[in-house]
Amino acid sequence: MGKRIMIPSMYGNAVPTFDAAAISSGMAFLVSELEKIDPKLREPLTSTTYPRDIEIQSGGGWVEATSAMNVDFSATGQGEIGGVQNNIRRIQADISKDLFKVMPYEISMGVKYVDVQRGAVTGRSIEQVYDTGIRLDYDKFMDANTYIGQEKYGTQGLVNQKDVAAVAVSTGASGQTTWDKKTPEEILKDINEAIMSGWAKSQYDQSAIPNHILIPPKQYTHLVSTSLTVAGVTGGISILEYLLQNNIAKNKGVDLFIGDCRWCEGIGVGSKDRLVAYVNDSRFVGMDVPVPLTRAMTQPSVHTASYESLYVSNVGQVKVHYVEPFVYRDGI
């Protein structure tokens, strides 16, 4: 076995080392390693909620548009019912088609050959890092497409439909419209008014009772964290629980969802916060993704000494089939 040798240091202390025999037998070592590497890679903070708030239909391929068929009925001879007249009423149907835009999503990545080889040493794949970044970018694209649409394509999302009239909520006893200045009863009144408005505009169709409400995170936090102080109701219940148990939709057998959505912040008239109520069902509103995110091709490039990959998807706009049960209430 090799011998341990003490070599004087320029700082006045002896530094331990090994002779050639010790090194050749595998006894070489690092004097110290002061860096402790955390293997976890911290990704950017972000939030996407679009799968929760809209039904997505996949499949269809590289189409340029998607369509939906509608039918409207009418009958001739209104009021001429009974055996006292000779005219027989006749039913008529008017069939129409709505077209919705589809937009391509494309993004590429290039992984240097040298980085691939270095990844084998470090145990961290730069290709996997890029792949994660692409999927994060895609989720952010889908989130924006769902809630506000794509301005350059002339489309809107759930919170800014141009055919939905925005109405200010009523003023509370405090003289304010915001929920942090309102009582739980006044907030429930706003909720019920929004539900009733959508239901009434839908000819009181039972299937058209709004079942999904989106509000900004600030208002959602207020509902969750504030204890109830309503006469006749014991403590230990939040305003949110009170709203979910006592709204008109619940009374009609509809389970109401109230959730936070950052896209509701400042989207209302005058940059006010908005409440969005609608029926979260593919019959009423949905979105097509004819081609889900796909790694379409990968090829080496000698000129850049890298492997180039292309990711693609075909994404449709938010399709509002029935605008009647859509409700916007600003100023909450």
Side-chain angles (χ1 to χ4, degrees):
M1 181 174 178
K3 296 181 292 183
R4 184 171 179 173
I5 304 171
M6 301 299 293
I7 299 179
S9 165
M10 62 179 294
Y11 299 104
N13 298 320
V15 178
T17 185
F18 287 104
D19 60 12
I23 295 174
S24 64
S25 64
M27 294 300 295
F29 73 101
L30 296 175
V31 174
S32 65
E33 181 177 353
L34 301 180
E35 180 182 5
K36 181 178 182 296
I37 299 176
D38 184 347
K40 186 174 182 61
L41 196 63
R42 268 67 180 178
E43 299 174 4
L45 299 177
T46 188
S47 172
T48 55
T49 54
Y50 68 92
R52 179 198 68 184
D53 297 329
I54 196 169
E55 292 190 16
I56 298 175
Q57 302 292 329
S58 297
W62 288 101
V63 297
E64 293 182 344
T66 59
S67 63
M69 304 299 295
N70 309 308
V71 62
D72 193 15
F73 299 105
S74 64
T76 61
Q78 292 292 337
E80 300 174 359
I81 300 175
V84 297
Q85 48 83 30
N86 294 323
N87 294 326
I88 298 176
R89 303 171 69 236
R90 183 179 296 273
I91 190 69
Q92 295 178 333
D94 179 19
I95 298 177
S96 61
K97 180 171 66 175
D98 291 333
L99 287 177
F100 301 95
K101 298 177 181 179
V102 176
M103 301 150 285
Y105 170 90
E106 299 171 318
I107 191 170
S108 64
M109 71 173 178
V111 181
K112 300 286 288 184
Y113 173 81
V114 173
D115 288 334
V116 173
Q117 306 309 312
R118 288 171 175 170
V121 177
T122 63
R124 192 189 303 280
S125 170
I126 189 64
E127 180 180 0
Q128 184 60 50
V129 172
Y130 286 162
D131 182 83
T132 300
I134 287 174
R135 296 184 186 280
L136 174 60
D137 182 80
Y138 178 74
D139 277 342
K140 293 174 69 175
F141 168 82
M142 289 291 291
D143 216 49
N145 188 61
T146 299
Y147 295 108
I148 61 173
Q150 304 294 326
E151 185 177 0
K152 62 183 179 181
Y153 283 94
T155 64
Q156 301 90 44
L158 293 175
V159 305
N160 64 343
Q161 287 290 316
K162 64 180 181 180
D163 293 329
V164 179
V167 178
V169 294
S170 60
T171 301
S174 65
Q176 304 293 323
T177 64
T178 56
W179 282 2
D180 61 339
K181 302 297 183 182
K182 285 187 173 182
T183 65
E185 297 100 320
E186 291 173 336
I187 297 175
L188 178 60
K189 182 180 178 182
D190 288 343
I191 294 288
N192 281 335
E193 190 278 328
I195 295 172
M196 282 298 302
S197 176
W199 187 28
K201 288 187 297 181
S202 304
Q203 303 297 311
Y204 294 103
D205 187 318
Q206 291 295 113
S207 66
I209 299 175
N211 64 0
H212 212 81
I213 290 180
L214 303 178
I215 57 177
K218 179 181 177 181
Q219 284 80 344
Y220 182 80
T221 301
H222 174 70
L223 299 184
V224 172
S225 60
T226 306
S227 298
L228 194 64
T229 55
V230 176
V233 179
T234 58
I237 182 174
S238 68
I239 295 179
L240 179 61
E241 292 174 295
Y242 169 70
L243 298 176
L244 293 176
Q245 293 174 12
N246 295 278
N247 64 82
I248 185 64
K250 179 74 171 181
N251 184 264
K252 299 298 292 183
V254 176
D255 289 329
L256 181 67
F257 171 84
I258 300 177
D260 60 294
C261 176
R262 67 187 182 93
W263 299 94
C264 291
E265 289 184 346
I267 197 67
V269 177
S271 298
K272 293 183 178 180
D273 291 343
R274 171 168 289 177
L275 174 151
V276 179
Y278 61 100
V279 183
N280 187 11
D281 184 274
S282 59
R283 179 190 170 194
F284 291 84
V285 60
M287 183 168 63
D288 290 313
V289 180
V291 179
L293 183 63
T294 304
R295 187 169 182 171
M297 60 181 71
T298 298
Q299 67 178 19
S301 172
V302 175
H303 296 290
T304 59
S306 64
Y307 296 98
E308 303 289 333
S309 297
L310 174 67
Y311 288 70
V312 295
S313 178
N314 212 20
V315 180
Q317 72 177 101
V318 170
K319 305 185 300 181
V320 177
H321 302 296
Y322 294 92
V323 73
E324 292 84 358
F326 250 88
V327 177
Y328 291 161
R329 290 296 180 264
D330 293 349
I332 65 169

